Amino acid sequence: MSLKAFFAKQFAAIIHQKTQKWANNPIATQQKVFQELLKEAKNTQFGKDHQFDQISSFEDFATKVPVRDYEALKPYVDRVVKGEENILWKGKPIYFAKTSGTTSGAKYIPLTKESMPYHIEAARNAILSYIHETGNADFVDGKMIFLQGSPILEEKHGVKLGRLSGIVAHYVPKYLQKNRMPSWETNCIDDWETKVDAIVEETINENMAVISGIPSWVQMYFEKLKEKGNKPVGEIFKNFNLFIYGGVNYEPYRAKFENLIGRKVDSIELFPASEGFFAYQDSQKEKGMLLLLNSGIFYEFIKADEFFTENPKRYTIGEVELGINYVLILSTNAGLWAYNIGDTVQFTSLKPYRVIVSGRIKHYISAFGEHVIGKEVEAALQQAMEGTDVRVNEFTVAPQINPAEGLPYHEWFIEFENEPNNLDEFALKIDAAMRQQNVYYDDLIVGNVLRTVVISLVVPNGFQEYMKSIGKLGGQNKLPRLSNDRKIADVLQTK
Protein backbone atom coordinates (compact mmCIF):
# COMPACT_ATOMS: atom_id res chain seq x y z
CA MET A 1 0.00 0.00 0.00
CA SER A 2 1.35 3.42 -0.92
CA LEU A 3 1.68 6.22 1.61
CA LYS A 4 -1.02 8.16 -0.22
CA ALA A 5 -3.46 5.22 0.00
CA PHE A 6 -2.63 4.73 3.69
CA PHE A 7 -3.41 8.34 4.57
CA ALA A 8 -6.57 8.23 2.41
CA LYS A 9 -7.87 5.37 4.58
CA GLN A 10 -7.08 7.26 7.79
CA PHE A 11 -8.81 10.40 6.51
CA ALA A 12 -11.80 8.32 5.34
CA ALA A 13 -12.25 6.94 8.87
CA ILE A 14 -12.27 10.46 10.35
CA ILE A 15 -14.83 11.74 7.82
CA HIS A 16 -17.00 8.65 8.40
CA GLN A 17 -17.17 9.43 12.13
CA LYS A 18 -18.12 13.05 11.47
CA THR A 19 -20.79 11.99 9.00
CA GLN A 20 -22.31 9.50 11.43
CA LYS A 21 -22.60 12.20 14.08
CA TRP A 22 -25.01 14.37 12.06
CA ALA A 23 -26.66 11.49 10.18
CA ASN A 24 -27.70 9.96 13.51
CA ASN A 25 -29.22 13.28 14.64
CA PRO A 26 -31.10 14.36 11.50
CA ILE A 27 -33.90 16.49 12.95
CA ALA A 28 -31.63 18.45 15.33
CA THR A 29 -29.10 18.90 12.51
CA GLN A 30 -31.70 20.36 10.16
CA GLN A 31 -33.15 22.59 12.86
CA LYS A 32 -29.69 24.03 13.51
CA VAL A 33 -29.18 24.69 9.77
CA PHE A 34 -32.62 26.33 9.60
CA GLN A 35 -31.90 28.71 12.49
CA GLU A 36 -28.43 29.62 11.18
CA LEU A 37 -29.79 30.45 7.73
CA LEU A 38 -32.43 32.77 9.15
CA LYS A 39 -29.92 34.44 11.48
CA GLU A 40 -27.39 35.09 8.71
CA ALA A 41 -29.98 36.46 6.26
CA LYS A 42 -32.33 38.46 8.49
CA ASN A 43 -30.78 41.78 7.46
CA THR A 44 -30.83 41.05 3.72
CA GLN A 45 -33.50 42.59 1.50
CA PHE A 46 -35.22 39.22 1.20
CA GLY A 47 -35.04 38.70 4.96
CA LYS A 48 -36.60 42.11 5.63
CA ASP A 49 -39.31 41.60 2.98
CA HIS A 50 -40.27 38.29 4.59
CA GLN A 51 -39.88 39.31 8.25
CA PHE A 52 -37.14 36.83 9.12
CA ASP A 53 -36.73 38.55 12.49
CA GLN A 54 -40.26 37.42 13.41
CA ILE A 55 -39.80 33.78 12.37
CA SER A 56 -39.31 31.42 15.31
CA SER A 57 -40.55 28.14 13.81
CA PHE A 58 -40.88 26.29 10.52
CA GLU A 59 -44.60 27.03 10.59
CA ASP A 60 -43.82 30.77 10.68
CA PHE A 61 -41.40 30.32 7.79
CA ALA A 62 -43.92 28.38 5.68
CA THR A 63 -46.49 31.13 6.28
CA LYS A 64 -44.20 34.03 5.40
CA VAL A 65 -42.06 32.50 2.62
CA PRO A 66 -43.95 30.97 -0.32
CA VAL A 67 -42.44 28.26 -2.50
CA ARG A 68 -40.84 29.80 -5.59
CA ASP A 69 -39.11 28.58 -8.73
CA TYR A 70 -36.41 30.55 -10.54
CA GLU A 71 -38.88 32.70 -12.47
CA ALA A 72 -40.60 33.77 -9.24
CA LEU A 73 -37.29 34.51 -7.49
CA LYS A 74 -35.85 36.26 -10.55
CA PRO A 75 -36.63 39.86 -9.44
CA TYR A 76 -34.28 39.33 -6.48
CA VAL A 77 -31.68 37.44 -8.54
CA ASP A 78 -31.66 40.21 -11.15
CA ARG A 79 -30.69 42.71 -8.47
CA VAL A 80 -27.84 40.45 -7.34
CA VAL A 81 -26.66 40.04 -10.94
CA LYS A 82 -26.64 43.84 -11.33
CA GLY A 83 -24.15 44.05 -8.47
CA GLU A 84 -26.36 44.98 -5.50
CA GLU A 85 -25.31 43.61 -2.12
CA ASN A 86 -27.27 42.03 0.76
CA ILE A 87 -30.22 41.01 -1.42
CA LEU A 88 -30.66 37.24 -1.00
CA TRP A 89 -27.60 36.61 1.17
CA LYS A 90 -25.17 38.85 3.00
CA GLY A 91 -22.69 40.66 0.76
CA LYS A 92 -22.24 39.52 -2.84
CA PRO A 93 -21.84 35.98 -4.21
CA ILE A 94 -18.39 34.88 -5.33
CA TYR A 95 -19.75 33.15 -8.46
CA PHE A 96 -22.83 32.73 -10.58
CA ALA A 97 -23.40 29.25 -11.94
CA LYS A 98 -24.91 29.84 -15.35
CA THR A 99 -27.45 27.24 -16.43
CA SER A 100 -29.95 26.86 -19.24
CA GLY A 101 -33.36 28.21 -18.33
CA THR A 102 -36.79 27.54 -19.80
CA THR A 103 -39.05 30.59 -19.90
CA SER A 104 -36.40 32.90 -18.44
CA GLY A 105 -33.49 32.12 -20.76
CA ALA A 106 -30.15 31.82 -18.95
CA LYS A 107 -30.38 31.28 -15.20
CA TYR A 108 -27.82 32.71 -12.79
CA ILE A 109 -27.57 30.68 -9.59
CA PRO A 110 -25.53 32.43 -6.86
CA LEU A 111 -22.65 30.64 -5.15
CA THR A 112 -21.35 32.25 -1.94
CA LYS A 113 -18.21 31.86 0.14
CA GLU A 114 -20.41 29.93 2.61
CA SER A 115 -21.97 27.57 0.03
CA MET A 116 -19.01 26.85 -2.24
CA PRO A 117 -16.98 24.69 0.21
CA TYR A 118 -19.87 22.24 0.54
CA HIS A 119 -19.81 21.49 -3.19
CA ILE A 120 -16.15 20.48 -2.87
CA GLU A 121 -16.45 18.63 0.44
CA ALA A 122 -19.40 16.53 -0.70
CA ALA A 123 -17.60 15.24 -3.79
CA ARG A 124 -14.54 14.47 -1.69
CA ASN A 125 -16.56 12.78 1.06
CA ALA A 126 -18.34 10.55 -1.44
CA ILE A 127 -14.98 9.06 -2.44
CA LEU A 128 -13.83 8.82 1.18
CA SER A 129 -17.06 7.06 2.10
CA TYR A 130 -16.36 4.49 -0.61
CA ILE A 131 -12.80 4.00 0.68
CA HIS A 132 -14.02 3.53 4.26
CA GLU A 133 -16.66 0.94 3.30
CA THR A 134 -14.66 -1.09 0.78
CA GLY A 135 -11.10 -0.63 2.03
CA ASN A 136 -10.13 0.06 -1.58
CA ALA A 137 -7.81 3.06 -1.79
CA ASP A 138 -5.30 1.93 -4.43
CA PHE A 139 -7.00 4.06 -7.08
CA VAL A 140 -5.63 7.24 -5.44
CA ASP A 141 -2.27 6.42 -7.02
CA GLY A 142 -3.71 6.32 -10.53
CA LYS A 143 -4.96 9.07 -12.83
CA MET A 144 -8.46 10.51 -12.47
CA ILE A 145 -10.57 12.18 -15.11
CA PHE A 146 -13.57 14.44 -14.61
CA LEU A 147 -15.50 15.14 -17.80
CA GLN A 148 -16.80 18.65 -17.24
CA GLY A 149 -17.51 22.04 -18.74
CA SER A 150 -14.87 24.63 -19.58
CA PRO A 151 -13.22 26.28 -16.54
CA ILE A 152 -12.95 29.59 -18.41
CA LEU A 153 -15.08 32.09 -16.48
CA GLU A 154 -16.67 35.37 -17.52
CA GLU A 155 -17.37 38.28 -15.20
CA LYS A 156 -20.58 40.16 -14.49
CA HIS A 157 -20.49 43.24 -12.25
CA GLY A 158 -17.46 41.97 -10.38
CA VAL A 159 -18.74 38.39 -9.97
CA LYS A 160 -17.28 35.51 -11.98
CA LEU A 161 -19.69 33.24 -13.81
CA GLY A 162 -19.58 29.94 -15.67
CA ARG A 163 -20.87 26.38 -15.63
CA LEU A 164 -20.79 24.77 -12.18
CA SER A 165 -18.46 22.00 -13.33
CA GLY A 166 -16.10 24.64 -14.75
CA ILE A 167 -16.16 26.60 -11.49
CA VAL A 168 -15.47 23.45 -9.46
CA ALA A 169 -12.41 22.77 -11.67
CA HIS A 170 -10.74 25.73 -9.92
CA TYR A 171 -11.02 23.92 -6.58
CA VAL A 172 -9.21 20.65 -7.30
CA PRO A 173 -7.02 20.10 -4.20
CA LYS A 174 -3.26 20.23 -4.63
CA TYR A 175 -2.78 16.57 -3.72
CA LEU A 176 -4.89 15.62 -6.76
CA GLN A 177 -3.43 18.07 -9.27
CA LYS A 178 -0.77 15.67 -10.56
CA ASN A 179 -3.32 12.84 -10.88
CA ARG A 180 -6.05 14.87 -12.50
CA MET A 181 -6.84 14.79 -16.22
CA PRO A 182 -7.40 16.16 -18.81
CA SER A 183 -4.92 19.04 -19.02
CA TRP A 184 -6.14 22.56 -18.33
CA GLU A 185 -5.77 23.45 -22.02
CA THR A 186 -7.92 20.53 -23.13
CA ASN A 187 -10.49 21.24 -20.45
CA CYS A 188 -10.87 24.75 -21.85
CA ILE A 189 -11.98 23.48 -25.27
CA ASP A 190 -15.59 24.60 -25.69
CA ASP A 191 -16.78 22.36 -28.55
CA TRP A 192 -17.72 19.06 -26.93
CA GLU A 193 -16.84 16.69 -29.79
CA THR A 194 -13.44 18.34 -30.28
CA LYS A 195 -12.88 18.21 -26.52
CA VAL A 196 -13.66 14.48 -26.25
CA ASP A 197 -11.30 13.71 -29.14
CA ALA A 198 -8.54 15.64 -27.37
CA ILE A 199 -9.26 13.85 -24.07
CA VAL A 200 -8.97 10.49 -25.80
CA GLU A 201 -5.56 11.46 -27.20
CA GLU A 202 -4.35 12.63 -23.79
CA THR A 203 -5.59 9.72 -21.73
CA ILE A 204 -5.37 6.59 -23.88
CA ASN A 205 -1.84 5.77 -22.72
CA GLU A 206 -2.31 6.83 -19.09
CA ASN A 207 -3.01 4.79 -15.94
CA MET A 208 -6.64 5.86 -15.56
CA ALA A 209 -8.15 4.60 -12.28
CA VAL A 210 -11.19 6.84 -11.73
CA ILE A 211 -13.51 8.25 -14.40
CA SER A 212 -16.32 10.66 -13.59
CA GLY A 213 -19.09 12.42 -15.50
CA ILE A 214 -22.68 12.25 -16.74
CA PRO A 215 -23.17 8.72 -18.19
CA SER A 216 -24.42 9.83 -21.60
CA TRP A 217 -21.27 11.90 -22.22
CA VAL A 218 -18.84 9.42 -20.65
CA GLN A 219 -20.37 6.89 -23.04
CA MET A 220 -19.20 9.02 -25.97
CA TYR A 221 -15.68 9.11 -24.48
CA PHE A 222 -15.68 5.32 -24.02
CA GLU A 223 -16.88 4.70 -27.57
CA LYS A 224 -14.09 6.85 -29.01
CA LEU A 225 -11.52 5.15 -26.74
CA LYS A 226 -12.64 1.70 -27.81
CA GLU A 227 -12.56 2.69 -31.48
CA LYS A 228 -9.07 4.18 -31.24
CA GLY A 229 -7.61 1.46 -29.01
CA ASN A 230 -9.42 -1.35 -30.80
CA LYS A 231 -10.14 -3.08 -27.48
CA PRO A 232 -12.46 -2.63 -24.48
CA VAL A 233 -11.88 0.33 -22.17
CA GLY A 234 -11.10 -2.06 -19.30
CA GLU A 235 -8.15 -3.43 -21.27
CA ILE A 236 -6.92 0.03 -22.23
CA PHE A 237 -7.16 1.10 -18.58
CA LYS A 238 -6.32 -2.06 -16.62
CA ASN A 239 -6.57 -0.27 -13.26
CA PHE A 240 -9.87 1.49 -13.97
CA ASN A 241 -12.19 0.28 -11.22
CA LEU A 242 -14.32 3.24 -10.13
CA PHE A 243 -16.91 5.21 -12.10
CA ILE A 244 -18.40 8.30 -10.46
CA TYR A 245 -21.53 9.76 -12.01
CA GLY A 246 -24.44 12.09 -11.45
CA GLY A 247 -27.21 13.86 -13.29
CA VAL A 248 -29.06 10.80 -14.58
CA ASN A 249 -29.84 7.25 -13.52
CA TYR A 250 -26.98 4.91 -14.46
CA GLU A 251 -29.08 1.74 -14.73
CA PRO A 252 -30.31 2.23 -18.32
CA TYR A 253 -26.66 2.66 -19.35
CA ARG A 254 -25.13 -0.10 -17.20
CA ALA A 255 -25.30 -2.95 -19.75
CA LYS A 256 -23.83 -0.71 -22.47
CA PHE A 257 -21.06 0.49 -20.16
CA GLU A 258 -20.11 -3.01 -19.06
CA ASN A 259 -19.89 -4.00 -22.71
CA LEU A 260 -17.69 -0.98 -23.52
CA ILE A 261 -15.50 -1.58 -20.47
CA GLY A 262 -15.47 -5.37 -20.83
CA ARG A 263 -16.08 -5.98 -17.13
CA LYS A 264 -17.93 -4.62 -14.11
CA VAL A 265 -16.56 -1.68 -12.13
CA ASP A 266 -17.74 -0.13 -8.87
CA SER A 267 -19.72 3.08 -9.14
CA ILE A 268 -20.61 6.03 -6.91
CA GLU A 269 -23.73 8.09 -7.60
CA LEU A 270 -23.77 11.82 -6.81
CA PHE A 271 -26.65 14.30 -6.64
CA PRO A 272 -25.09 17.71 -7.36
CA ALA A 273 -26.66 20.79 -8.90
CA SER A 274 -25.81 24.46 -9.25
CA GLU A 275 -28.16 25.11 -6.33
CA GLY A 276 -26.30 22.75 -3.99
CA PHE A 277 -24.79 19.31 -3.50
CA PHE A 278 -27.64 17.32 -2.01
CA ALA A 279 -26.62 13.69 -1.65
CA TYR A 280 -24.09 11.02 -2.50
CA GLN A 281 -24.02 7.24 -2.46
CA ASP A 282 -22.51 6.28 0.87
CA SER A 283 -22.86 2.51 0.53
CA GLN A 284 -22.25 -0.08 -2.16
CA LYS A 285 -24.78 -2.34 -0.41
CA GLU A 286 -27.74 -0.05 0.31
CA LYS A 287 -30.05 1.57 -2.20
CA GLY A 288 -30.09 5.35 -2.46
CA MET A 289 -27.86 8.31 -1.63
CA LEU A 290 -27.23 9.85 1.78
CA LEU A 291 -29.11 13.16 2.00
CA LEU A 292 -26.65 15.81 3.22
CA LEU A 293 -28.42 17.43 6.15
CA ASN A 294 -25.39 19.32 7.46
CA SER A 295 -24.38 21.21 4.31
CA GLY A 296 -25.95 24.64 4.65
CA ILE A 297 -29.24 23.49 3.08
CA PHE A 298 -32.63 23.27 4.79
CA TYR A 299 -34.92 20.82 3.01
CA GLU A 300 -38.67 20.79 2.57
CA PHE A 301 -40.71 18.22 0.70
CA ILE A 302 -44.08 18.45 -1.06
CA LYS A 303 -45.88 15.36 -2.30
CA ALA A 304 -45.67 15.43 -6.09
CA ASP A 305 -49.32 14.47 -6.60
CA GLU A 306 -50.35 17.45 -4.42
CA PHE A 307 -47.82 19.95 -5.75
CA PHE A 308 -50.12 21.71 -8.22
CA THR A 309 -53.01 21.99 -5.74
CA GLU A 310 -53.62 25.19 -3.79
CA ASN A 311 -51.45 25.45 -0.67
CA PRO A 312 -50.01 21.92 -0.59
CA LYS A 313 -48.58 20.77 2.75
CA ARG A 314 -44.82 21.33 3.19
CA TYR A 315 -43.05 18.54 5.09
CA THR A 316 -39.74 18.67 6.95
CA ILE A 317 -37.26 15.81 7.26
CA GLY A 318 -38.90 14.27 10.33
CA GLU A 319 -42.25 13.92 8.53
CA VAL A 320 -41.29 12.16 5.29
CA GLU A 321 -42.23 8.57 4.43
CA LEU A 322 -40.69 5.83 2.34
CA GLY A 323 -41.63 5.41 -1.33
CA ILE A 324 -43.57 8.67 -1.78
CA ASN A 325 -42.66 10.97 -4.66
CA TYR A 326 -41.68 14.35 -3.21
CA VAL A 327 -40.79 17.64 -4.88
CA LEU A 328 -37.52 18.88 -3.36
CA ILE A 329 -37.66 22.40 -1.88
CA LEU A 330 -34.50 24.19 -0.69
CA SER A 331 -33.38 27.09 1.45
CA THR A 332 -29.61 27.56 1.22
CA ASN A 333 -26.61 29.57 2.37
CA ALA A 334 -26.35 30.84 -1.20
CA GLY A 335 -29.61 32.77 -0.73
CA LEU A 336 -32.26 30.51 -2.25
CA TRP A 337 -35.41 30.47 -0.13
CA ALA A 338 -38.16 27.81 -0.30
CA TYR A 339 -36.82 27.20 -3.79
CA ASN A 340 -38.32 24.59 -6.09
CA ILE A 341 -35.36 23.08 -7.92
CA GLY A 342 -37.68 20.94 -10.06
CA ASP A 343 -36.35 17.53 -8.98
CA THR A 344 -38.44 14.84 -7.36
CA VAL A 345 -37.06 12.32 -4.88
CA GLN A 346 -38.16 9.21 -3.05
CA PHE A 347 -36.78 8.03 0.28
CA THR A 348 -35.31 4.53 0.34
CA SER A 349 -34.24 4.71 4.00
CA LEU A 350 -35.12 6.85 7.02
CA LYS A 351 -32.20 5.70 9.20
CA PRO A 352 -30.14 7.29 7.77
CA TYR A 353 -32.09 9.39 5.29
CA ARG A 354 -31.30 8.15 1.79
CA VAL A 355 -32.98 9.20 -1.45
CA ILE A 356 -33.16 8.33 -5.10
CA VAL A 357 -33.91 10.92 -7.78
CA SER A 358 -37.26 9.90 -9.23
CA GLY A 359 -37.53 12.53 -11.96
CA ARG A 360 -38.48 16.13 -12.64
CA ILE A 361 -41.79 17.68 -11.61
CA LYS A 362 -42.05 19.16 -15.14
CA HIS A 363 -40.91 15.96 -16.87
CA TYR A 364 -43.77 13.49 -16.70
CA ILE A 365 -46.51 12.06 -18.84
CA SER A 366 -50.07 12.55 -17.73
CA ALA A 367 -51.83 13.16 -21.03
CA PHE A 368 -54.56 10.76 -19.87
CA GLY A 369 -54.19 11.05 -16.07
CA GLU A 370 -51.53 8.33 -15.79
CA HIS A 371 -48.93 10.38 -13.82
CA VAL A 372 -45.91 8.49 -15.22
CA ILE A 373 -42.56 9.63 -13.78
CA GLY A 374 -38.94 9.16 -14.82
CA LYS A 375 -38.13 6.47 -12.27
CA GLU A 376 -40.93 4.29 -13.67
CA VAL A 377 -39.82 4.37 -17.30
CA GLU A 378 -36.18 3.74 -16.33
CA ALA A 379 -37.17 0.78 -14.15
CA ALA A 380 -39.46 -0.63 -16.88
CA LEU A 381 -36.69 -0.52 -19.49
CA GLN A 382 -34.26 -2.11 -17.04
CA GLN A 383 -36.69 -4.98 -16.32
CA ALA A 384 -37.26 -5.58 -20.03
CA MET A 385 -33.49 -5.80 -20.61
CA GLU A 386 -32.81 -8.23 -17.75
CA GLY A 387 -31.58 -11.62 -18.93
CA THR A 388 -31.05 -10.39 -22.50
CA ASP A 389 -28.11 -9.02 -24.46
CA VAL A 390 -30.10 -5.90 -25.38
CA ARG A 391 -28.17 -2.69 -24.89
CA VAL A 392 -29.57 0.84 -25.08
CA ASN A 393 -27.64 4.01 -25.88
CA GLU A 394 -30.39 6.50 -25.06
CA PHE A 395 -34.17 6.85 -24.92
CA THR A 396 -37.06 9.21 -24.28
CA VAL A 397 -40.84 8.77 -24.03
CA ALA A 398 -43.73 10.93 -25.26
CA PRO A 399 -47.52 10.47 -25.57
CA GLN A 400 -49.13 9.95 -28.96
CA ILE A 401 -52.57 11.46 -28.43
CA ASN A 402 -53.77 11.54 -32.06
CA PRO A 403 -52.48 8.44 -33.87
CA ALA A 404 -53.34 7.90 -37.54
CA GLU A 405 -55.31 4.83 -36.49
CA GLY A 406 -56.22 2.94 -33.35
CA LEU A 407 -55.94 3.96 -29.71
CA PRO A 408 -53.49 6.52 -28.32
CA TYR A 409 -50.27 5.20 -26.78
CA HIS A 410 -46.95 6.00 -25.16
CA GLU A 411 -44.24 6.17 -27.80
CA TRP A 412 -40.75 5.11 -26.72
CA PHE A 413 -37.95 6.50 -28.86
CA ILE A 414 -34.98 4.17 -28.32
CA GLU A 415 -31.50 4.16 -29.80
CA PHE A 416 -30.28 0.57 -29.40
CA GLU A 417 -26.66 -0.52 -29.32
CA ASN A 418 -27.88 -4.10 -29.55
CA GLU A 419 -31.47 -4.45 -30.73
CA PRO A 420 -33.94 -7.08 -29.41
CA ASN A 421 -34.64 -10.05 -31.67
CA ASN A 422 -38.34 -9.29 -31.42
CA LEU A 423 -39.18 -5.61 -30.97
CA ASP A 424 -42.89 -6.26 -30.32
CA GLU A 425 -42.13 -8.71 -27.51
CA PHE A 426 -39.68 -6.24 -26.00
CA ALA A 427 -42.35 -3.50 -26.12
CA LEU A 428 -44.78 -5.81 -24.31
CA LYS A 429 -42.18 -6.44 -21.59
CA ILE A 430 -41.81 -2.70 -21.07
CA ASP A 431 -45.57 -2.32 -21.00
CA ALA A 432 -46.02 -5.10 -18.42
CA ALA A 433 -43.39 -3.50 -16.18
CA MET A 434 -45.11 -0.11 -16.52
CA ARG A 435 -48.49 -1.59 -15.61
CA GLN A 436 -47.00 -3.29 -12.58
CA GLN A 437 -45.55 -0.02 -11.29
CA ASN A 438 -48.31 2.45 -12.15
CA VAL A 439 -51.92 1.61 -11.35
CA TYR A 440 -53.24 4.60 -13.34
CA TYR A 441 -51.45 3.42 -16.46
CA ASP A 442 -52.73 -0.12 -15.91
CA ASP A 443 -56.31 1.15 -15.62
CA LEU A 444 -55.97 2.99 -18.94
CA ILE A 445 -54.74 -0.15 -20.69
CA VAL A 446 -57.45 -2.33 -19.13
CA GLY A 447 -60.11 0.25 -19.97
CA ASN A 448 -59.02 0.47 -23.62
CA VAL A 449 -58.15 4.13 -23.30
CA LEU A 450 -54.53 3.43 -24.28
CA ARG A 451 -52.94 0.68 -26.34
CA THR A 452 -49.67 -0.89 -25.25
CA VAL A 453 -46.27 0.75 -25.71
CA VAL A 454 -45.01 1.47 -29.24
CA ILE A 455 -41.25 1.60 -29.86
CA SER A 456 -39.82 3.89 -32.52
CA LEU A 457 -36.19 3.27 -33.46
CA VAL A 458 -33.75 6.16 -33.39
CA VAL A 459 -30.82 6.02 -35.80
CA PRO A 460 -27.26 5.67 -34.40
CA ASN A 461 -26.15 8.95 -32.79
CA GLY A 462 -29.65 10.33 -33.34
CA PHE A 463 -29.91 11.67 -29.79
CA GLN A 464 -26.45 13.23 -29.95
CA GLU A 465 -27.46 14.98 -33.16
CA TYR A 466 -30.66 16.20 -31.51
CA MET A 467 -28.79 17.59 -28.50
CA LYS A 468 -26.26 19.20 -30.83
CA SER A 469 -29.06 20.80 -32.87
CA ILE A 470 -30.39 22.56 -29.76
CA GLY A 471 -26.91 23.57 -28.55
CA LYS A 472 -26.82 21.18 -25.59
CA LEU A 473 -24.22 18.60 -26.56
CA GLY A 474 -22.02 17.52 -23.65
CA GLY A 475 -21.23 19.14 -20.32
CA GLN A 476 -24.02 19.00 -17.74
CA ASN A 477 -26.82 18.82 -20.31
CA LYS A 478 -29.23 15.92 -20.05
CA LEU A 479 -31.91 14.54 -22.35
CA PRO A 480 -35.37 14.57 -20.70
CA ARG A 481 -36.63 11.03 -20.13
CA LEU A 482 -40.24 12.14 -20.38
CA SER A 483 -42.25 14.83 -22.12
CA ASN A 484 -45.94 15.56 -21.79
CA ASP A 485 -45.91 16.91 -25.34
CA ARG A 486 -44.28 15.93 -28.65
CA LYS A 487 -41.70 18.67 -29.14
CA ILE A 488 -38.76 16.25 -28.89
CA ALA A 489 -40.69 13.39 -30.50
CA ASP A 490 -41.55 15.42 -33.60
CA VAL A 491 -37.89 16.32 -34.16
CA LEU A 492 -36.79 12.69 -33.74
CA GLN A 493 -39.43 11.48 -36.18
CA THR A 494 -38.01 13.67 -38.93
CA LYS A 495 -34.55 12.09 -38.63
Side-chain angles (χ1 to χ4, degrees):
M1 181 190 302
S2 71
L3 199 60
K4 196 183 226 182
F6 173 79
F7 282 117
K9 284 190 175 185
Q10 301 303 308
F11 191 30
I14 293 169
I15 294 300
H16 175 74
Q17 284 186 331
K18 289 184 177 180
T19 301
Q20 291 303 302
K21 188 174 180 181
W22 62 256
N24 290 331
N25 295 279
I27 296 173
T29 297
Q30 275 285 274
Q31 182 62 20
K32 183 180 178 184
V33 170
F34 175 68
Q35 290 172 344
E36 286 178 350
L37 290 174
L38 291 176
K39 179 184 174 183
E40 293 295 324
K42 68 179 181 181
N43 293 321
T44 63
Q45 187 62 56
F46 190 94
K48 291 174 182 176
D49 290 348
H50 295 82
Q51 301 174 310
F52 276 16
D53 59 346
Q54 297 179 30
I55 295 174
S56 59
S57 67
F58 170 67
E59 288 71 27
D60 290 342
F61 181 79
T63 300
K64 294 180 183 298
V65 184
V67 172
R68 290 175 167 92
D69 58 13
Y70 185 83
E71 280 69 36
L73 196 66
K74 193 171 182 291
Y76 286 99
V77 176
D78 285 347
R79 292 179 65 181
V80 181
V81 172
K82 287 175 183 176
E84 292 188 50
E85 298 186 12
N86 304 313
I87 301 300
L88 287 165
W89 190 254
K90 57 187 181 180
K92 293 171 69 172
I94 55 175
Y95 299 102
F96 292 115
K98 188 177 179 181
T99 68
S100 300
T102 50
T103 59
S104 60
K107 293 164 60 176
Y108 297 94
I109 306 299
L111 295 167
T112 63
K113 65 180 182 180
E114 290 81 12
S115 70
M116 194 66 217
Y118 288 114
H119 284 272
I120 311 307
E121 286 178 16
R124 179 202 70 188
N125 291 353
I127 297 174
L128 291 172
S129 180
Y130 170 82
I131 291 173
H132 181 78
E133 182 190 32
T134 65
N136 174 23
D138 292 340
F139 62 84
V140 301
D141 295 311
K143 296 286 179 120
M144 305 178 185
I145 189 169
F146 302 91
L147 294 178
Q148 56 194 186
S150 171
I152 297 174
L153 304 179
E154 304 171 50
E155 195 166 296
K156 209 172 185 71
H157 298 290
V159 178
K160 292 181 179 179
L161 69 94
R163 301 290 181 185
L164 176 66
S165 62
I167 293 170
V168 169
H170 291 262
Y171 286 81
V172 176
K174 287 183 179 179
Y175 60 85
L176 287 181
Q177 290 286 7
K178 289 183 179 179
N179 297 60
R180 182 182 177 275
M181 298 196 80
S183 66
W184 185 266
E185 293 74 21
T186 295
N187 219 11
C188 290
I189 297 172
D190 205 40
D191 179 75
W192 187 252
E193 290 173 293
T194 305
K195 182 174 188 168
V196 173
D197 286 337
I199 292 173
V200 169
E201 292 294 333
E202 277 193 3
T203 58
I204 195 164
N205 295 314
E206 296 287 346
N207 176 27
M208 303 305 303
V210 179
I211 296 172
S212 175
I214 293 175
S216 50
W217 308 124
V218 175
Q219 179 178 305
M220 181 192 291
Y221 168 57
F222 282 175
E223 288 170 342
K224 288 178 178 287
L225 272 171
K226 189 175 180 181
E227 182 181 357
K228 185 171 180 62
N230 202 28
K231 54 187 174 183
V233 173
E235 289 185 31
I236 296 171
F237 303 143
K238 290 183 168 53
N239 294 317
F240 167 45
N241 284 301
L242 183 59
F243 174 49
I244 303 173
Y245 67 94
V248 298
N249 184 4
Y250 181 41
E251 292 309 314
Y253 299 94
R254 189 178 292 275
K256 174 67 186 291
F257 267 58
E258 289 177 359
N259 177 258
L260 285 168
I261 298 166
R263 53 183 165 82
K264 293 184 178 181
V265 299
D266 285 349
S267 60
I268 302 174
E269 183 175 8
L270 310 177
F271 185 11
S274 299
E275 294 84 354
F277 202 125
F278 312 126
Y280 61 73
Q281 183 181 346
D282 67 319
S283 173
Q284 294 290 303
K285 301 168 188 172
E286 303 295 333
K287 185 180 181 182
M289 295 173 283
L290 182 70
L291 188 64
L292 303 181
L293 304 175
N294 193 35
S295 296
I297 301 171
F298 178 72
Y299 299 94
E300 300 176 55
F301 308 89
I302 298 176
K303 292 180 179 178
D305 58 5
E306 298 175 2
F307 185 74
F308 294 107
T309 63
E310 190 174 354
N311 298 319
K313 179 171 172 54
R314 294 157 65 173
Y315 297 88
T316 56
I317 194 67
E319 302 171 294
V320 297
E321 302 173 58
L322 295 174
I324 291 177
N325 205 36
Y326 291 104
V327 179
L328 188 62
I329 308 297
L330 315 165
S331 294
T332 79
N333 57 4
L336 302 177
W337 300 102
Y339 184 84
N340 169 25
I341 190 176
D343 287 316
T344 58
V345 299
Q346 290 182 6
F347 284 88
T348 59
S349 166
L350 302 182
K351 289 184 179 180
Y353 285 93
R354 292 194 182 99
V355 296
I356 58 170
V357 181
S358 53
R360 299 277 294 167
I361 192 63
K362 291 182 180 179
H363 293 169
Y364 61 90
I365 298 179
S366 199
F368 309 93
E370 60 272 47
H371 308 295
V372 168
I373 61 174
K375 172 181 171 288
E376 292 169 342
V377 296
E378 289 175 339
L381 181 61
Q382 186 65 24
Q383 285 182 44
M385 291 167 62
E386 282 175 5
T388 74
D389 60 356
V390 173
R391 293 190 296 274
V392 170
N393 286 342
E394 193 59 276
F395 77 100
T396 191
V397 187
Q400 176 50 272
I401 299 171
N402 299 305
E405 57 183 8
L407 294 172
Y409 53 85
H410 284 188
E411 187 169 10
W412 288 57
F413 292 85
I414 305 179
E415 181 185 327
F416 288 101
E417 164 74 14
N418 199 23
E419 197 174 316
N421 293 327
N422 188 315
L423 205 58
D424 291 335
E425 283 184 11
F426 191 74
L428 288 173
K429 283 185 180 180
I430 290 176
D431 201 77
M434 283 299 306
R435 293 175 65 179
Q436 190 176 28
Q437 292 183 90
N438 188 310
V439 65
Y440 304 109
Y441 180 77
D442 184 57
D443 287 345
L444 292 167
I445 298 291
V446 171
N448 287 321
V449 176
L450 292 179
R451 61 161 293 189
T452 54
V453 160
V454 171
I455 294 176
S456 292
L457 299 177
V458 176
V459 298
N461 300 316
F463 284 108
Q464 284 185 18
E465 290 301 318
Y466 167 72
M467 294 297 279
K468 188 176 181 179
S469 72
I470 60 171
K472 292 190 176 183
L473 184 66
Q476 293 168 268
N477 298 305
K478 294 158 283 190
L479 176 79
R481 284 280 174 254
L482 294 166
S483 304
N484 206 37
D485 55 42
R486 295 195 51 89
K487 289 178 183 176
I488 297 174
D490 289 344
V491 175
L492 291 172
Q493 279 189 329
T494 64
K495 293 188 178 295

